[in-house]
Amino acid sequence: MGSATTQALAASAQTLAAAKDVTLDTARELFAAARAVTESSHLSGALADASAPVEARQNVVAAVFGGFSQDAQSVLKTVVAERWSSASQLVDGIEELAIRAAAIAEPQADIAGELFGFTRVIAANAELELALGSRLGGEDAKGALVDKLLAGGVSDATAVIVSSLVRQPRDRRVRQMLGRATRVVADQGDRVVATVHSAKPLTDAQRTRLSDALSRRYDGKISLNEVSDPAVVGGLRVQIADDVIDGSISARLADLRQKLAG
């Protein structure tokens, strides 16, 4: 992500945070805007053209998205007033703001946990991953499939995020999109996502001790995503972004074998 995009996204996120009536409809509108910009090269060109006057770009927003809520329009006008590294990153930014809006709309829901849970379902079901990732199926059909799978099992915010993402994949794998969404939701709640691999489920006491230790190390609240992995054998393997803390017996054995071989 370029520095221009980082600054643009931060400014746009501030506008979203300042909005007083963010709902799931706001999230839906921002997802719809991302899709519209993706599907129209003329629209994306007009909105991402840093050489055009800011007022002209904001007038395009008013003309195209005038039926949206004031909150959504305000966020989009901030988006186009900023300088983005590329048109594709502008679309990424609008999509991230849509995910954040969904998290703001339902702050009590465990959206990050639900997204991670659905990611694990997809990882365990090759046919489902193929159905959602194939270029042959229509995006609306994929969205309808997701709506059916998630009906009643997750929060409305999670359903909106997943359904919207599979409708506009932009050559991304489903698990890649969901992983990004999980990180965005966690960040919106000032949390750090830690994926924990263990041979068997953690006890409540282990979960608490691990959360406390990671909170101290990373100076923030931790969201634990647990994965049962028999290959771990014993101990834990924890991944936070690019950091991996591997205290598993399998890792120690592999290290021992390498030393013996050397």
Side-chain angles (χ1 to χ4, degrees):
M1 183 184 297
S3 59
T5 291
T6 300
Q7 294 172 12
L9 188 54
S12 302
Q14 287 180 355
T15 298
L16 178 64
K20 299 185 183 301
D21 190 28
V22 175
T23 67
L24 285 180
D25 282 339
T26 311
R28 291 186 183 97
E29 289 171 339
L30 291 173
F31 274 123
R35 185 170 188 174
V37 176
T38 297
E39 294 176 345
S40 171
S41 58
H42 293 296
L43 181 58
S44 64
L47 297 180
D49 183 4
S51 65
V54 169
E55 184 178 0
R57 285 177 268 159
Q58 292 181 328
N59 286 341
V60 173
V61 168
V64 177
F65 304 112
F68 284 7
S69 65
Q70 287 303 310
D71 282 340
Q73 288 190 61
S74 178
V75 170
L76 290 171
K77 286 180 178 179
T78 299
V79 167
V80 301
E82 298 296 322
R83 181 183 294 272
W84 298 81
S85 299
S86 66
S88 63
Q89 290 193 6
L90 180 146
V91 174
D92 284 343
I94 297 174
E95 184 179 84
E96 177 169 327
L97 294 165
I99 296 169
R100 290 182 181 275
I104 292 171
E106 291 197 351
Q108 302 306 316
D110 182 18
I111 303 171
E114 292 171 348
L115 287 170
F116 180 76
F118 189 60
T119 303
R120 297 302 300 169
V121 169
I122 292 174
N125 190 323
E127 290 186 1
L128 176 58
E129 184 167 20
L130 180 62
L132 294 177
S134 173
R135 295 184 180 182
L136 300 178
E139 307 308 340
D140 287 338
K142 294 176 186 178
L145 173 60
V146 166
D147 291 342
K148 183 177 180 180
L149 290 171
L150 296 180
V154 298
S155 63
D156 289 342
T158 297
V160 167
I161 291 171
V162 178
S163 180
S164 299
L165 289 177
V166 299
R167 282 181 164 89
Q168 49 191 60
R170 291 188 284 126
D171 295 324
R172 297 169 297 175
R173 297 184 62 180
V174 176
R175 279 190 277 169
Q176 176 190 359
M177 293 189 294
L178 295 180
R180 175 179 179 244
T182 302
R183 292 189 295 273
V184 170
V185 168
D187 182 71
Q188 182 61 40
D190 293 324
R191 289 183 174 273
V192 176
V193 176
T195 302
V196 184
H197 296 256
S198 59
K200 57 183 180 180
L202 301 178
T203 65
D204 288 341
Q206 290 173 324
R207 197 173 290 113
T208 298
R209 287 197 300 271
L210 180 60
S211 293
D212 290 344
L214 293 174
S215 293
R216 290 192 296 271
R217 178 165 179 168
Y218 288 91
D219 192 26
K221 295 179 289 186
I222 299 292
S223 288
L224 292 181
N225 290 330
E226 299 179 37
V227 178
S228 293
D229 185 358
V232 170
V233 181
L236 300 173
R237 181 178 183 275
V238 181
Q239 181 165 0
I240 297 178
D242 294 330
D243 291 349
V244 177
I245 305 168
D246 200 336
S248 64
I249 292 176
S250 57
R252 297 172 201 167
L253 290 173
D255 183 57
L256 178 59
R257 283 194 296 268
Q258 187 175 31
K259 288 180 179 178
L260 290 174

